[in-house]
Amino acid sequence: MQFQRITSVNDPALTFIKKLYEDAFPPHERRDWASLLQLVPDAKEMHLDLVHTADENIGLITWWEIDGCYFIEHFAVDSSLRGQNYGARVLDHYKEQLPGTIILEVEHPEDSFSIRRIAFYERLGYHILSLPYRQPAYGNPKASFPFLLMSNRMLSDQEASPLAEKIKNKVYLTPAR
């Protein structure tokens, strides 16, 4: 498995990435495509990586470096390849490569899909944080959605709160409180 950093808006891999991005995430959980493309060359903290083998594209991951913390904004494996352990291998790779706290968001466990997703992250060593959290809506600073934060290490609310605020400010561009 290989990881290719996308640094140009002309990268041919973006055709696969766009389709997967739009198929895997509902509109309220993703940026519009033009906004994402603008971040590729401009945002030094944001990384968009294609996951692939020599034969096929597997998935995508967008992640941010924020003050010694790493935030996985989007992660998806092509639906035709799910169940083949690619997701676990990708996240294990990033756990090895990123020295520090990794945080990601998940939906509350309200249906079988979200319950399975949380269990998947827990099997990989992630923990649900107790800090109440709402994901700001992309493009609408007045809207937000209830989510949970998970991390590769246990964090107290005191530790998690400033990280959550930094994520909201950098990733979602919400003003500091």
Side-chain angles (χ1 to χ4, degrees), residues 61-72:
I61 187 166
T62 59
W63 59 279
W64 293 73
E65 295 179 64
I66 303 172
D67 295 338
C69 169
Y70 303 93
F71 173 66
I72 296 176

Side-chain angles (χ1 to χ4, degrees), residues 108-119:
H108 282 263
E110 296 172 348
D111 58 36
S112 62
F113 189 72
S114 57
I115 291 168
R116 282 195 320 268
R117 179 178 291 133
I118 290 169

Side-chain angles (χ1 to χ4, degrees), residues 19-176:
K19 180 171 181 358
L20 178 57
Y21 184 68
E22 292 177 349
D23 288 349
F25 301 99
H28 72 274
E29 289 183 24
R30 60 179 153 88
R31 299 174 193 284
D32 67 79
W33 186 246
S35 296
L36 178 63
L37 287 182
Q38 187 175 0
L39 290 172
V40 168
D42 293 344
K44 290 180 175 63
E45 303 95 347
M46 193 278 290
H47 308 282
L48 170 59
D49 295 348
L50 170 70
V51 181
H52 64 96
T53 64
D55 301 323
E56 64 188 339
N57 292 328
I58 295 168
L60 70 90
I61 187 166
T62 59
W63 59 279
W64 293 73
E65 295 179 64
I66 303 172
D67 295 338
C69 169
Y70 303 93
F71 173 66
I72 296 176
E73 182 181 13
H74 294 101
F75 169 55
V77 171
D78 188 285
S79 61
S80 67
L81 301 172
R82 290 188 191 136
Q84 298 181 38
N85 205 33
Y86 284 120
R89 290 172 48 204
V90 168
L91 289 176
D92 284 344
H93 168 81
Y94 283 92
K95 249 175 138 173
E96 291 173 12
Q97 298 300 312
L98 304 177
T101 302
I102 299 173
I103 295 177
L104 52 87
E105 301 164 329
V106 293
E107 298 93 350
H108 282 263
E110 296 172 348
D111 58 36
S112 62
F113 189 72
S114 57
I115 291 168
R116 282 195 320 268
R117 179 178 291 133
I118 290 169
F120 166 75
Y121 289 124
E122 288 176 331
R123 283 192 305 276
L124 295 174
Y126 286 81
H127 310 275
I128 293 175
L129 303 181
S130 62
L131 179 74
Y133 180 79
R134 294 188 65 85
Q135 178 199 58
Y138 291 96
N140 181 355
K142 296 185 180 190
S144 64
F145 302 94
F147 271 67
L148 298 171
L149 290 177
M150 296 187 78
S151 177
N152 63 330
R153 65 183 193 91
M154 289 300 298
L155 298 172
S156 68
D157 288 0
Q158 259 187 325
E159 293 171 299
S161 182
L163 295 175
E165 287 304 311
K166 287 176 185 179
I167 289 166
K168 288 177 182 181
N169 295 338
K170 280 278 188 188
V171 177
Y172 298 103
L173 305 175
T174 61

